[in-house]
Amino acid sequence: MADDKVKIQRALISMSDKTGLVEFAGELASHGVELISTGGTSKALKDAGLKVYDVSEITGFPEMLDGRVKTLHPVVHGGLLSLRDNPEHMATIAEHNIKPIDLVCVNLYPFEATIAKPGVELHDVIENIDIGGPSMIRSASKNYRSVAVLVSPSRYADVIKELKENDGATTFKLRQELAIEAFGHTARYDATIHEYLHSRLSENKWPNIFTLSGIKLQEMRYGENPHQPAAFYKDKNNNLPTIANGKQLQGKELSYNNIMDADAALSLVKEFNKPAVAIIKHTNACGTAIGQDAADAFVKAFEADPLSAFGGIVAVNRPVDEKTAKVILEKLSFFEIILAPSYDEGALKQFEARKNPRVMSVAGLGTGSGNVPGFHLRRVEGGFLVQEFDHVLEDKALHKIITNKQPDPGLLDDMDFGWRLVKHVKSNAIVLVKNGGSIGVGAGQMNRVGSLEIAIKQAGAKAKGSVMASDALLPFRDSVDVCAKAGIAAIIQTGGSVRDQEVIDAANQHGIPMIFTGYRHFKH
């Protein structure tokens, strides 16, 4: 029967989202389909002049318990689950005056919209947990050999097309696609309920079963490497300035690595309220700066490491005008993506003249609403690790100046800038900053002195008078001695080593002011 077409003769429709519903039901009726419905859906269809049977007319039972029980009845589920090519099934439903139902069109109570309401009462949340809808969807999906199931108005056109091409019938291929989609729909619905009730009612931080759902945005040509298939998914209820919500204005399709780098770039520029630019390569910041405006910040970021900036990702937390676009294009001969809140017409024309750049707008970037709540997830073979994002709001009053020498206000500003930056660099991470811009970055080395020496070499003579930020504690005084030799003017680090006093003594000996933050920002 897998190749059979099934003519739709009876359809049960119950939709919370009534977009295009009347038109779809009208198309079904035009093919002679008998319409069955419930509640508000039934009223909407009847008001449109369509002949509709209420479920209570079919089951012989009224809706009861304030609408909690409507479709939970053998007449409904027998009509959905009966195998059309099984004589015993067909004889059984005939004996009980049950008719087959060939199409179910259901989307569920708006649970996500309900929990998104400020101050929503638990009673209202519970009442928006759908029971009959998922039951019908599962019954219809299980019997996809004979029944078509729709959970989204976006699929109306596909069904209508098949009805017109197949004399009122659906194909096995479409029914199979719809069933897969429907099981995904109910899985996501249940996962959302589980996640919400756990967060609201459980005393445990982490659930015993962790569920994750997403909406596919695109399939990619490949992942990190050409032999790795890949796809990009968006979290539910994500409306913040993220790459998943970015709008591509120019350029070819984003790759897996593009998205990884773009995410890192956005996370970094969202740290700053002042005009900021980050240039990212392989998820590390090769240049970051704040400035008087976007153009000024870009120049400072580019000059931190012009060699590494080639082929990188540029993120700007301010709208890009034509002047800024010209500066970027003059300085940087090739970059993969630029991300900004918006662009004026002149800027877009400038970028359009260059063949390769992907130009993306990210609404809300630069408004201070950047950090996305939720979890960071990383797969390991055979399992996965979950943690909260590193979005801690540090109490700067707890940052301690632990040396005899106090940093002057200019150094304090750079210490704050460096500390915001270093958390976005792969550990072991060291950054050197000066006048609101990075001048040297040491990332991902096996020892901290190695990262420091890379940063100093990159900074060159500019290292003198700069601030050094370390993402974690300095375990020995050797890093301080290397800083002193390079003329570094101040250090900001976590603190907490068993040799802290040795490190402090070294800073005092060299006359270098040092701050302990009490926070560590490893990024593996």
Side-chain angles (χ1 to χ4, degrees):
M1 183 165 178
D3 296 324
D4 285 358
K5 296 174 182 177
V6 174
K7 192 174 183 67
I8 297 178
Q9 300 182 69
R10 300 175 84 224
L12 197 159
I13 305 174
S14 180
M15 298 291 280
S16 296
D17 180 357
K18 295 180 174 55
T19 305
L21 175 64
V22 170
E23 293 79 7
F24 177 64
E27 286 283 350
L28 294 178
S30 72
H31 287 276
V33 177
E34 180 182 287
L35 304 179
I36 307 166
S37 193
T38 63
T41 302
S42 176
K43 182 178 185 304
L45 298 181
K46 288 177 180 177
D47 288 347
L50 295 170
K51 183 177 180 180
V52 181
Y53 294 93
D54 288 335
V55 165
S56 58
E57 297 178 67
I58 304 300
T59 62
F61 276 83
E63 295 183 11
M64 60 182 67
L65 307 181
D66 299 317
R68 285 186 168 204
V69 178
K70 291 181 277 193
T71 58
L72 297 171
H73 195 279
V75 168
V76 173
H77 290 275
L80 292 173
L81 285 165
S82 52
L83 297 172
R84 310 312 197 248
D85 58 351
N86 184 318
E88 185 178 341
H89 280 205
M90 300 313 290
T92 298
I93 65 171
E95 179 185 349
H96 294 283
N97 297 316
I98 297 173
K99 295 180 181 179
I101 298 171
D102 311 300
L103 181 143
V104 166
C105 184
V106 176
N107 58 17
L108 308 175
Y109 291 173
F111 185 84
E112 289 184 16
T114 300
I115 62 176
K117 296 176 182 175
V120 64
E121 297 288 341
L122 184 59
H123 168 80
D124 293 328
V125 172
I126 298 299
E127 288 308 311
N128 275 279
I129 297 176
D130 203 327
I131 303 300
S135 299
M136 288 190 292
I137 290 172
R138 290 179 65 82
S139 291
S141 299
K142 179 174 180 174
N143 201 20
Y144 68 86
R145 289 170 57 194
S146 302
V147 182
V149 55
L150 280 157
V151 294
S152 170
S154 66
R155 282 294 203 164
Y156 289 165
D158 297 322
V159 172
I160 291 169
K161 182 175 182 289
E162 290 222 338
L163 297 183
K164 290 179 177 179
E165 292 177 351
N166 300 294
D167 191 27
T170 58
T171 63
F172 176 80
K173 182 176 184 296
L174 179 62
R175 295 194 302 276
Q176 186 172 253
E177 289 176 5
L178 293 173
I180 294 169
E181 185 176 306
F183 277 122
H185 186 70
T186 55
R188 179 170 177 249
Y189 192 77
D190 285 338
T192 303
I193 294 169
H194 171 239
E195 180 182 320
Y196 177 82
L197 292 181
H198 179 270
S199 68
R200 183 152 181 174
L201 302 179
S202 177
E203 296 179 358
N204 299 320
K205 173 66 179 177
W206 302 104
N208 291 332
I209 297 175
F210 188 91
T211 54
L212 183 70
S213 64
I215 301 167
K216 186 170 69 176
L217 297 181
Q218 71 179 90
E219 291 189 16
M220 298 166 170
R221 288 186 299 146
Y222 55 82
E224 283 185 291
N225 300 292
H227 59 274
Q228 295 174 269
F232 183 30
Y233 288 82
K234 174 183 173 179
D235 285 340
K236 60 183 183 293
N237 300 327
N238 167 19
N239 57 4
L240 289 168
T242 63
I243 186 60
N245 289 322
K247 182 179 179 182
Q248 189 163 351
L249 307 177
Q250 295 176 15
K252 60 185 179 181
E253 186 175 77
L254 298 177
S255 71
Y256 180 101
N257 292 332
N258 288 157
I259 289 170
M260 290 290 293
D261 286 340
D263 175 66
L266 289 173
S267 295
L268 180 45
V269 294
K270 285 189 288 191
E271 288 282 351
F272 305 105
N273 293 322
K274 293 180 179 179
V277 170
I279 305 173
I280 297 291
K281 200 75 168 288
H282 304 305
T283 72
N284 275 310
C286 53
T288 308
I290 53 177
Q292 297 300 313
D293 55 26
D296 178 45
F298 173 81
V299 171
K300 290 166 67 175
F302 173 78
E303 289 177 347
D305 189 355
L307 181 63
S308 298
F310 180 84
I313 306 287
V314 179
V316 188
N317 71 350
R318 290 292 189 275
V320 173
D321 57 16
E322 184 173 6
K323 169 198 164 187
T324 304
K326 285 181 176 178
V327 170
I328 292 170
L329 292 168
E330 286 169 2
K331 292 280 186 181
L332 192 52
S333 60
F334 171 62
F335 55 92
E336 291 278 2
I337 308 173
I338 181 166
L339 305 116
S342 62
Y343 306 83
D344 69 18
E345 187 175 342
L348 290 175
K349 286 182 178 178
Q350 291 292 320
F351 292 127
E352 194 174 298
R354 184 75 65 82
K355 180 181 178 181
N356 292 311
R358 300 165 175 90
V359 178
M360 297 195 68
S361 63
V362 181
L365 183 61
T367 63
S369 62
N371 288 337
V372 178
F375 309 117
H376 178 271
L377 183 147
R378 177 170 291 174
R379 290 290 314 217
V380 296
E381 290 189 24
F384 56 89
L385 297 165
V386 182
Q387 64 176 348
E388 290 187 350
F389 286 115
D390 188 6
H391 292 330
V392 62
L393 294 175
E394 297 184 24
D395 184 354
K396 296 299 175 62
L398 299 179
H399 289 192
K400 297 178 181 178
I401 302 169
I402 44 75
T403 48
N404 298 330
K405 187 172 182 179
Q406 304 290 299
D408 62 40
L411 283 178
L412 279 172
D413 288 343
D414 273 345
M415 291 169 102
D416 178 70
F417 174 81
W419 188 241
R420 290 173 182 271
L421 168 57
V422 76
K423 68 185 281 191
H424 296 273
V425 176
K426 292 292 180 67
S427 190
N428 285 320
I430 297 288
V431 298
L432 301 183
V433 301
K434 195 173 188 178
N435 300 323
S438 63
I439 57 171
V441 178
Q445 299 305 299
M446 284 63 73
N447 67 80
R448 200 155 294 278
V449 173
S451 290
L452 175 58
E453 288 174 341
I454 290 171
I456 291 170
K457 181 178 179 181
Q458 186 184 79
K462 291 185 289 185
K464 187 174 182 179
S466 68
V467 164
M468 185 272 267
S470 170
D471 67 339
L473 59 84
L474 302 181
F476 304 101
R477 68 168 288 158
D478 51 4
S479 293
V480 181
D481 293 333
V482 172
C483 285
K485 186 176 179 180
I488 289 167
I491 296 171
I492 184 167
Q493 58 132 324
T494 301
S497 167
V498 294
R499 296 182 177 84
D500 269 351
Q501 192 56 55
E502 175 186 317
V503 173
I504 294 168
D505 290 344
N508 285 331
Q509 177 185 333
H510 294 299
I512 299 175
M514 181 185 292
I515 286 178
F516 281 3
T517 66
Y519 288 87
R520 188 182 75 185
H521 290 297
F522 274 166
K523 185 181 181 186
H524 284 89

